[in-house]
Amino acid sequence: MAPATGATLQWLAQLIGARAVAEVGTGAGVSGLWLLRGMVDDGVLTTVDEETENTRAARQTFSEAGVPTQRVRLITGRPLDVLSRLADAAYDLVFFDGNPQESSRYLEEALRLLRPGGLAVFDDALAGGRISDPAQRDPATIAVRTLVNDTRDDERIRPLLLPVGEGLLVTQKLDV
Ligand SMILES: C[S@@+](CC[C@H](N)C(=O)[O-])C[C@H]1O[C@@H](n2cnc3c(N)ncnc32)[C@H](O)[C@@H]1O
């Protein structure tokens, strides 16, 4: 993750005083650390990854950074299955850095999980320029392009596409 992307995540979490954040795509815990830095001191990050190896690596990252264990819930499992078990309207921010082909389903889950005013943030929203190139028609690119286009007309959210790193799509859940 580009430092500018991480810094933007930290800034967004700080801006809204995030206390409860959910993340899909734990990876090595890099984005998780940025989010934790922006959240309130006792805020809790719930982060999901399909790969046990990633969960293990992230646990080490958080431990080495001195993050108290009670501030992170590390869950190994299929993201959509795990998200479906999380509480409604209980999250301030949901960050997606997982399977791009599941992007539109992630947004639907996010709209259930977020409180009004909360943020759903998607990394890789420009995918190295592939999103704006109609010749690029691989399934992952099509899925992210569909997400970006759909958010423009979705009255439930206020979208902003930031050219930071690989592109960050920030959508705010409106109180409708
Ligand atoms: C880019 S990495 C996440 C990096 C992490 N956010 C960080 O900053 O350290 C993407 C994660 O999503 C998960 N994933 C699941 N399905 C995927 C897919 N089809 N393509 C890419 N990532 C996928 C991977 O296990 C991986 O940990």
Side-chain angles (χ1 to χ4, degrees), residues 94 107 110-111 114 117-122 147 151 157-160 169-173:
V94 189
L107 177 62
L111 289 173
L114 289 169
L119 304 176
V121 183
F122 295 80
L147 172 77
T151 56
I157 54 182
R158 177 184 291 126
L160 173 69
L169 175 64
V170 182
T171 67
Q172 183 174 41
K173 178 179 172 176

Side-chain angles (χ1 to χ4, degrees), residues 1 23 25-31 49-51 54 95 97-100:
M1 161 161 299
E23 174 185 56
T26 310
V30 178
S31 49
D49 204 293
E50 288 182 21
E51 305 291 334
N54 290 342
F95 174 59
D97 194 12
N99 181 352

Side-chain angles (χ1 to χ4, degrees), residues 45-63:
L45 172 72
T46 300
T47 181
V48 187
D49 204 293
E50 288 182 21
E51 305 291 334
T52 315
E53 202 52 47
N54 290 342
T55 307
R56 197 174 298 135
R59 184 172 287 114
Q60 188 172 343
T61 299
F62 297 137
S63 163

Side-chain angles (χ1 to χ4, degrees), residues 32-89:
L33 263 191
W34 283 104
L35 287 163
L36 283 160
R37 283 194 200 119
M39 294 164 68
V40 298
D41 286 348
D42 59 348
V44 174
L45 172 72
T46 300
T47 181
V48 187
D49 204 293
E50 288 182 21
E51 305 291 334
T52 315
E53 202 52 47
N54 290 342
T55 307
R56 197 174 298 135
R59 184 172 287 114
Q60 188 172 343
T61 299
F62 297 137
S63 163
E64 287 173 359
V67 176
T69 51
Q70 68 272 19
R71 289 201 62 200
V72 185
R73 282 202 296 167
L74 281 153
I75 303 175
T76 306
R78 290 194 55 244
L80 287 167
D81 292 344
V82 176
L83 292 179
S84 71
R85 295 198 295 271
L86 301 182
D88 292 5

